[in-house]
Amino acid sequence: MVNPVPILQTIALETWIPAAWEDFLTFADDPTLVGGRFYYDQGEMRIEMSPLGSAHGQDNSIVLTVVNLYATVKAIPIKSFINTTFRKAGLREFQPDLAFYMGEPGEAVTFPARSNAAVDLNEFDPPSLVIEIVASSLEDDCTRKQPLYQRAGIREYWVVDVNVSQVIAVEPSKATQLRRSQVLPGLEIDWVDSALKRAQTEDDGAVSRWFLGLLTQ
């Protein structure tokens, strides 16, 4: 008996290729590919299977900490999602490194229910903020994924370039770069850049204490 060719050897990875939604689901819902990240938009799919290095993991952690600390100090309702799949069946799917639902201080916010399935964007609103942590796919994350997030209704999108410890923040609906967050009012993007740079030589606790001091001074 001849063994079947491994499924991922039949397609190109780390690039956008034409695909019907049903074909995309063959990969996205395959339990043997749980380590991959899957995107679908405008009749094209992208599958990312590259291993993630220490820089990716550390920057992911620092950005998550900064966003949650800022929301805590400013009493902004927030719920964080790490490597979560968001799906609008038949149209698009995305799996950012980080995603956040948030609202105004004192406002009740509806978050997606706990589940092991993809978040159904026909049932729930999209996240307010999505963040991609990137090292080698910067061009794709800044160009091809930006209109995906615009069509998905994402209010703010950050690309964290781990090579230079810098955040590129945009408002997808206008494709304009931001230096101050709109979903986290008052948060300077430069502060996030500074936290990323400090994290190269300081432990997470030291970075958190510096950031809290910045917010409470």
Side-chain angles (χ1 to χ4, degrees):
M1 179 178 178
V2 178
N3 292 327
V5 176
I7 190 170
L8 287 183
Q9 289 188 11
T10 64
I11 63 166
L13 301 178
E14 314 294 334
T15 189
W16 291 90
I17 60 174
W21 176 255
E22 293 75 15
D23 295 332
F24 168 73
L25 291 181
T26 300
F27 298 95
D29 292 341
D30 187 329
T32 68
L33 303 179
V34 293
R37 298 172 63 197
F38 300 86
Y39 297 82
Y40 188 87
D41 183 51
Q42 299 288 91
E44 293 185 324
M45 71 176 182
R46 176 183 173 93
I47 301 177
E48 300 178 358
M49 297 293 293
S50 298
L52 303 178
S54 170
H56 182 284
Q58 291 183 51
D59 284 2
N60 195 329
S61 176
I62 285 297
V63 172
L64 176 65
T65 297
V66 165
V67 171
N68 280 327
L69 283 176
Y70 190 85
T72 299
V73 171
K74 301 299 182 180
I76 297 171
I78 193 168
K79 179 67 75 171
S80 310
F81 293 79
I82 302 173
N83 295 331
T84 300
T85 299
F86 298 88
R87 175 177 293 175
K88 195 171 184 68
L91 290 178
R92 68 186 56 89
E93 180 165 321
F94 49 94
Q95 189 180 345
D97 291 286
L98 298 169
F100 301 87
Y101 283 80
M102 59 189 75
E104 299 295 329
E107 175 187 60
V109 180
T110 300
F111 306 122
R114 287 177 59 86
S115 169
N116 289 325
V119 175
D120 185 354
L121 295 181
N122 287 313
E123 181 180 357
F124 298 101
D125 290 335
S128 304
L129 170 66
V130 298
I131 301 175
E132 299 278 8
I133 316 292
V134 303
S136 59
S137 60
L138 182 64
E139 182 177 358
D140 181 82
D141 286 82
C142 288
T143 56
R144 183 60 179 84
K145 287 180 185 175
Q146 184 271 322
L148 182 163
Y149 289 131
Q150 176 184 354
R151 287 186 281 271
I154 304 302
R155 293 171 54 197
E156 192 165 310
Y157 172 43
W158 296 3
V159 177
V160 178
D161 184 351
V162 303
N163 297 306
V164 294
S165 298
Q166 188 173 46
V167 176
I168 302 168
V170 297
E171 182 183 358
S173 63
K174 298 180 181 178
T176 54
Q177 190 166 344
L178 306 170
R179 293 316 303 168
R180 177 178 290 180
S181 175
Q182 296 185 349
V183 297
L184 293 161
L187 175 63
E188 301 286 345
I189 301 302
D190 286 344
W191 297 348
V192 189
D193 293 344
S194 295
L196 289 167
K197 289 180 172 62
R198 282 177 172 269
Q200 295 180 10
T201 57
E202 300 178 21
D203 67 80
D204 291 359
V207 176
S208 296
R209 289 188 293 273
W210 164 79
F211 189 63
L212 284 172
L214 183 67
L215 298 181
T216 56
Q217 66 184 8

